[in-house]
Amino acid sequence: MKNEKIPYKIYLSEDEIPRAWYNVRADMKNKPAPLLDPVTRRPITEDALAEVFCRELARQELDDTNAYIEIPEPIHSFYKMYRPAPLVRAYCLEEKLGTPAHIYYKFEGNNTSGSHKLNSAIAQAYYAKEQGLAGVTTETGAGQWGTALSMACSYFGLDCKVFMVKVSHDQKPHRREVMRTYGASVTPSPSDTTAVGRKILAEHPGTGGSLGCAISEAVETAVNSGGRYRYVLGSVLSQVLLHQSIIGLEAKTALDKYGVKPDLIIGCAGGGSNLGGLISPFMGEKLRGEADYRFIAVEPASCPTLTRGVYAYDYCDTGMICPLAKMYTLGASFMPAPMHAGGLRYHGMTPVLSQLCADGLMEATSVTQTSVFDAAVTFARVEGILPAPESAHAIRVAIDEALRCKETGEEKVILFGLTGTGYFDMMSYAKHNDGILTD
Ligand SMILES: *Cc1c(COP(=O)(O)O)cnc(C)c1O
């Protein structure tokens, strides 16, 4: 039923920003399988994890029992700089499609880094600072995570060393310069500054690199820092999903104000953090038997982890020095074809979503690049926001589902995650506009 009182944007007030993250693992009957130590192949201990990750983050990584974890005050204050994020009713898109469906999206692009990644970057930088570290190391693919982390590190006065996948480093000079402006150092990966980088360069001369390879370099740099640096990761890990639950918690609070219950919740899935965060509180209700929802993960056809991968233990990185995770994976040595949604190129999927998919609690689908850009342009022209190509994967499926409602006459409520803006992806949009984008 059309409720005319629902505004175009549902804004929460600052004191409605959640005070605690929600840990969906606490409500899962089948917990994600434990991470394995790459040397012993036994479940990894907090102490072993804490050699690579910050202590508190290692603890969060292994915590599958506490449902709520309080957000420390300094993180909450930082969140106030760019949150609450609006929940938008896509009236203009609905009208354009002529659909009876009600479409909502949670927009996470309202910060300089341009994506949801800042939600976890600020948490990870905070815990590194609390631990008294000099800085953190990380990898970045398309550059969104590195940008978010460099903002978070500059806020807390931490050093930030970013290994950037070489193709992106060369193709995305603007992202690189945003990171450097916030004080980060940016090294194209593979590089000759690490043993694993030199090995990969020797085996694959001229390679454009991959996320898995950049992860190995960042981990090696942290582990060899004499304890002054730790490695941080922007997706895949359970701790990142935990931090990203702020997306779903805010979205649910906003919908609850108007008594709206989504039938379908859709998100793009690279490593699974935005989708995991968006669905967490809704999935919690489903797991506790309080409500039912359909959840759809959307992946690129060129990196179809959930739809075509196998559910097995695999390394999180190409260099095989990180813990092993049980997840849907295309193989740690998988090198995806170049595509224009760099944030969705990862070979694995977070163990939390992998387990939920394996248990039939959520679905996955894949879409082609040209259909994604068609959806992005349709959306931009009516809703005004220029979406990131990653986000446009979710838009594609939201549009398809809304068009299905048009055929059946169903007034379904669709919620999707609009994870970021596409200003740094204009070369991809150029190819689309010139009609030379391929699948
Ligand atoms: C990184 C990124 C993604 C994919 O990462 P997830 O961990 O799967 O959320 C999606 N959208 C944008 C804008 C990104 O920057």
Side-chain angles (χ1 to χ4, degrees):
M1 266 214 295
K2 212 146 196 132
N3 182 345
E4 295 305 338
K5 282 188 301 192
I6 293 177
Y8 277 68
K9 288 194 193 67
I10 306 178
Y11 282 110
L12 303 178
S13 66
E14 280 178 6
D15 47 77
E16 288 172 299
I17 297 176
R19 287 272 161 196
W21 294 299
Y22 167 64
N23 182 8
V24 71
R25 287 171 290 171
D27 284 310
M28 289 171 69
K29 279 183 205 77
N30 295 331
K31 308 283 185 199
L35 296 174
L36 299 186
D37 188 300
V39 180
T40 65
R41 299 270 176 150
R42 301 199 34 83
I44 201 156
T45 61
E46 186 184 309
D47 283 345
L49 267 186
E51 286 172 20
V52 180
F53 299 122
C54 304
R55 171 64 66 174
E56 182 58 24
L57 293 166
R59 217 188 50 71
Q60 291 180 359
E61 193 59 31
L62 299 181
D63 182 353
D64 59 11
T65 52
N66 289 305
Y68 287 94
I69 291 169
E70 200 185 317
I71 301 174
E73 191 55 43
I75 300 175
H76 202 262
S77 304
F78 187 95
Y79 278 163
K80 286 183 192 162
M81 282 179 9
Y82 69 102
R83 306 198 72 83
L87 182 79
V88 185
R89 172 74 185 269
Y91 282 119
C92 303
L93 180 63
E94 289 170 23
E95 193 182 315
K96 166 82 181 168
L97 301 175
T99 176
H102 297 190
I103 308 174
Y104 294 85
Y105 57 90
K106 180 74 172 162
F107 180 46
E108 290 291 326
N110 270 338
N111 67 75
T112 298
S113 73
S115 85
H116 66 285
K117 291 201 171 70
L118 193 54
N119 300 330
S120 184
I122 192 62
Q124 299 195 42
Y126 168 77
Y127 290 119
K129 185 71 184 176
E130 274 295 289
Q131 194 173 326
L133 300 175
V136 292
T137 69
T138 198
E139 80 297 332
T140 196
Q144 291 99 325
W145 168 244
T147 311
L149 189 68
S150 63
M151 286 177 70
C153 285
S154 73
Y155 182 76
F156 285 122
L158 278 171
D159 187 36
C160 180
K161 294 188 195 302
V162 180
F163 288 88
M164 186 170 190
V165 177
K166 190 166 186 302
V167 274
S168 307
H169 181 271
D170 298 346
Q171 284 171 4
K172 304 210 160 176
H174 298 116
R175 278 222 181 267
R176 187 182 73 210
E177 293 315 318
V178 176
M179 287 183 254
R180 293 178 51 197
T181 301
Y182 282 97
S185 69
V186 185
T187 307
S189 165
S191 76
D192 60 8
T193 68
T194 64
V196 63
R198 288 188 292 272
K199 179 163 177 278
I200 293 168
L201 280 175
E203 284 166 10
H204 306 275
T207 176
S210 71
L211 266 186
C213 160
I215 293 174
S216 302
E217 291 207 276
V219 171
E220 184 184 317
T221 303
V223 169
N224 292 343
S225 70
R228 293 170 58 243
Y229 286 73
R230 289 293 185 285
Y231 167 68
V232 294
L233 179 58
S235 184
V236 186
L237 297 173
S238 300
Q239 57 183 279
V240 183
L241 261 74
L242 174 71
H243 306 147
Q244 295 297 355
S245 69
I246 190 131
I247 304 173
L249 291 165
E250 280 186 9
K252 190 157 188 317
T253 304
L255 289 171
D256 283 350
K257 280 191 180 216
Y258 291 89
V260 176
K261 184 184 163 294
D263 298 297
L264 234 117
I265 305 176
I266 300 167
C268 62
S273 75
N274 87 83
L275 178 60
L278 175 67
I279 71 174
S280 275
F282 301 97
M283 181 61 84
E285 289 189 331
K286 180 163 170 152
L287 289 165
R288 297 189 301 270
E290 297 163 7
D292 197 15
Y293 303 96
R294 238 184 103 199
F295 302 102
I296 308 179
V298 189
E299 336 182 280
S302 54
C303 193
T305 315
L306 285 169
T307 44
R308 303 272 301 277
V310 293
Y311 188 38
Y313 269 105
D314 193 12
Y315 291 92
C316 295
D317 62 320
T318 315
M320 303 180 180
I321 55 177
C322 285
L324 290 97
K326 189 175 178 195
M327 58 184 175
Y328 279 93
T329 176
L330 297 164
S333 54
F334 178 75
M335 294 269 180
M339 62 148 130
H340 296 275
L344 304 181
R345 281 169 54 101
Y346 188 63
H347 68 272
M349 185 59 61
T350 178
V352 174
L353 294 191
S354 291
Q355 185 64 47
L356 292 168
C357 273
D359 289 341
L361 289 158
M362 59 180 291
E363 318 161 28
T365 186
S366 69
V367 290
T368 58
Q369 172 162 266
T370 49
S371 75
V372 163
F373 275 86
D374 288 340
V377 169
T378 302
F379 181 84
R381 289 185 185 174
V382 292
E383 288 290 323
I385 296 170
L386 183 75
E390 290 87 352
S391 320
H393 286 68
I395 299 175
R396 174 73 270 161
V397 173
I399 289 179
D400 290 345
E401 291 291 336
L403 291 174
R404 205 158 292 143
C405 289
K406 187 176 177 176
E407 281 168 27
T408 62
E410 286 171 289
E411 280 192 8
K412 281 195 183 153
V413 178
I414 299 171
L415 166 64
F416 72 88
L418 188 68
T419 50
T421 47
Y423 305 129
F424 290 107
D425 301 284
M426 296 323 291
M427 292 314 289
S428 310
Y429 274 94
K431 283 196 177 145
H432 175 78
N433 293 334
D434 290 339
I436 54 172
L437 203 64
T438 56
D439 290 325

